[in-house]
Amino acid sequence: MAYEVAAPKYVRLAQTLQGRIEDGTYPPGSLVPSENQLVQAFGMSRPTVVRALDLLKRDGWLESRQGFGTIVRGRPEVVEQKGQRGREALERAESTAPGRLVEVDQVPVPSRVAAALGVPQGTKVLVRRLLIEEDGEPMELSSSFFPVGFAEGTSLADSAPLPEGLRAHLEARKKIRFDHVTERVSARLPSEEEAGLLALSPGEPVLSVLVIACDVSGQALQVADVLLPADRQELEDTYRLG
């Protein structure tokens, strides 16, 4: 059984502050509110605020300048190198992807997807499942989940591959805007169906990248479970040493 664990308070605060940097509330070169102001504004303890600021400094969003305070640096270059699996799941056009659409259906929501979408266990959700292949060998299984009612006014329930990415399709049809993506990477054993599609041997694990795409309010618009055969992938990330 998989359990979803809420992010610590300091991580959630860091994500909120990062969002304000990205939307221009705290533009590059500006001063971040003081620790006292953040404690009062968010009702969190000083140690929580300090840890959140330290996290953003470590990742290159903020820097401390003696005599000035904490300054916004803006979006660090290394951030652009992260989240590529999530970006592909949102922006890849199904009709031109190197693979095939293997399923479009209403299915009982998986437990970890239910928590991300904010729907009760057992709820039926719409899934679009895309199998990516390379030289005839399956390399990735991307399953995108949506609340059933969310498909109204779109082609999400159609069995034909979409000519544009899911993000572009939804933003055009539903007049919504994707704001940020959270990715959770874990290892697990695939279901029998997943193992068959990925041509895996019994007991062979997969890497699961759970991609949660939200609007500016934090409401999940799409959740994708991207499965990668562990022996056919090389994942690379770049991070800043602080």
Side-chain angles (χ1 to χ4, degrees):
M1 180 180 293
Y3 295 91
E4 293 293 340
V5 179
K9 286 183 179 181
Y10 78 93
V11 173
R12 299 201 299 271
L13 176 57
Q15 291 170 337
T16 298
L17 296 177
Q18 178 183 318
R20 294 188 179 186
I21 295 171
E22 293 187 285
D23 69 17
T25 302
Y26 303 149
S30 66
L31 280 171
V32 173
S34 68
E35 292 177 10
N36 285 337
Q37 290 172 322
L38 292 174
V39 166
Q40 294 175 6
F42 292 96
M44 295 185 178
S45 67
R46 183 178 298 277
T48 296
V49 169
V50 170
R51 290 189 72 183
L53 294 175
D54 285 345
L55 183 61
L56 291 170
K57 292 172 187 175
R58 185 202 70 184
D59 289 346
W61 293 91
L62 304 174
E63 66 175 311
S64 295
R65 294 184 185 174
Q66 190 172 3
F68 288 91
T70 302
I71 307 294
V72 176
R73 296 185 62 183
R75 176 181 288 274
E77 291 183 6
V78 294
V79 170
E80 299 296 345
Q81 301 175 30
K82 298 180 181 179
Q84 292 305 304
R85 295 293 177 184
R87 182 179 295 276
E88 290 173 4
L90 295 175
E91 299 184 354
R92 179 168 45 205
E94 294 171 341
S95 60
T96 58
R100 54 195 172 92
L101 191 64
V102 296
E103 183 181 12
V104 179
D105 201 1
Q106 293 184 24
V107 299
V109 62
S111 58
R112 59 202 305 253
V113 174
L117 277 179
V119 299
Q121 294 282 351
T123 301
K124 286 289 188 75
V125 292
L126 179 68
V127 63
R128 296 184 69 86
R129 208 180 304 274
L130 184 68
L131 182 66
I132 301 300
E133 299 171 315
E134 184 176 308
D135 297 326
E137 182 179 29
M139 298 296 292
E140 174 187 320
L141 181 62
S142 179
S143 302
S144 292
F145 298 90
F146 310 87
V148 171
F150 195 60
E152 184 177 351
T154 75
S155 298
L156 291 179
D158 294 354
S159 59
L162 296 177
E164 69 276 330
L166 292 168
R167 173 186 175 183
H169 184 79
L170 285 171
E171 289 186 337
R173 297 293 186 91
K174 302 293 287 188
K175 307 303 180 186
I176 56 177
R177 179 178 177 273
F178 285 71
D179 181 74
H180 59 277
V181 171
T182 299
E183 295 188 9
R184 302 173 184 169
V185 181
S186 60
R188 67 173 174 86
L189 290 176
S191 68
E192 184 176 343
E193 180 187 13
E194 292 166 343
L197 288 169
L198 289 169
L200 299 174
S201 302
E204 189 174 347
V206 292
L207 291 178
S208 169
V209 184
L210 193 69
V211 182
I212 306 168
C214 302
D215 62 16
V216 70
S217 73
Q219 173 64 47
L221 304 175
Q222 171 186 347
V223 175
D225 192 8
V226 181
L227 298 186
L228 309 167
D231 64 341
R232 303 173 208 164
Q233 301 293 330
E234 181 177 340
L235 302 182
E236 179 178 334
D237 196 6
T238 303
Y239 58 92
R240 188 184 303 276
L241 294 174

